[in-house]
Amino acid sequence: MFGELAVGYLFLGGAGAGSIAIASALDLACVRAPFGERARVCVDEAAPAERAVSFGMLVGLACLLLGIVCLLLDLGRVDRALSLFFSPSLTYLTLGSYALVLLAALGTLLTAVRFAFFPGISRRVVSVAEAFAVLAGFAVMLYAGLLLQGVGGVAFWRSPFLPVLFVFSALSCGFAIVLLAAVLAGLEKPPVRLVRMLVRADAAVIVLEVLTAALLMGTAQADAHPAVAQSLARLVEGDLAARWWVGFVACGMVVPFALEAMFSVSRQPSLAWSAVAVAAVLVLVGGFCMRGAVVEAGSHRDLVLEKPDAQALRLE
């Protein structure tokens, strides 16, 4: 049911939603870039913090749109997606699809006003769009986990901690994208205050992600369902162990947390910025590995039809 394209959507959609939501929240809370007649004619003229938000929004939108393409390719037929809008029903799939389209539209608007001059769009209009982008972003982040949880045939995905883990992972990936944008957009004069704020927030999210992953594994360990035990065994010591422990736990949480702690105490700027960039890249690697491992852990072994033994069929 869920192949490589679906995993690609789960990762790109979550990372894109997290990046758009975080960039919007940053602009609302502390950056507050000018728009309308006071807007920058060129993004290169903006302050490093404004450029970080702008490029974080741009990369987030690109990830989200690419994730939507993966989703449509995985469906195989566009009319299946259109039926959700022409014949809506109150389901996670329908609500998530509406949130996905809304976020893509808002992300496109918020990216356009940062890279092109629109004097007719005021700061108030942008602030309203950013507020809705934050809400839609969280809905998209939660929707991915709820989509897996709603699949009745996979017991391992029915854990209440799975959607929470997807939200924290998407937030961490969103922080990683904005952090990379902040470092790359302000190489000459990095926005130190903004980067420190993002690093501390991401470290807190990683701690919550660790706790949620532990609860997910703990509840699976206590579950007597044989399919849950099989999925857990694949993650802990089976064919998915490297992807889970090395890709997700080590690369996605432990090492980035250590590097972000190093950034907080380091007094060597070049080392500090390198640590932030490496941590951000590893977070993205971990987010992809987690989704791939969780999806693969829920897959079932294909049934093999064996030829009946003639001796066994012989009537005594």
Side-chain angles (χ1 to χ4, degrees), residues 8 26 47 49 62-63 97 108 121 128 134 151 178 196-197 234 238 277 300:
L26 280 174
C63 290
S97 299
T108 301
I121 300 181
V128 172
V134 173
V151 178
V178 179
R196 289 192 183 279
M197 183 191 310
R234 294 185 65 188
H300 298 286

Side-chain angles (χ1 to χ4, degrees), residues 152-168:
V154 182
F156 179 69
W157 292 346
R158 290 202 293 265
S159 171
F161 298 106
L162 184 62
V164 182
L165 179 62
F166 270 62
V167 170
F168 286 141

Side-chain angles (χ1 to χ4, degrees), residues 239-298:
D239 57 315
L240 301 175
R243 199 183 309 182
W244 179 264
W245 294 113
V246 179
F248 173 49
V249 176
C251 292
M253 296 187 294
V254 176
V255 177
F257 184 85
L259 291 174
E260 289 173 350
M262 181 189 303
F263 170 80
S264 301
V265 299
S266 177
R267 296 184 179 181
Q268 300 181 10
S270 59
L271 176 62
W273 298 122
S274 298
V276 170
V278 172
V281 172
L282 289 177
V283 164
L284 295 174
V285 172
F288 180 78
C289 289
M290 184 273 286
R291 286 160 178 80
V294 168
V295 169
E296 184 65 24

Side-chain angles (χ1 to χ4, degrees), residues 113-126:
V113 296
R114 282 173 166 80
F115 289 90
F117 182 62
F118 293 99
I121 300 181
S122 65
R123 171 73 227 186
R124 180 176 299 181
V125 173
V126 174

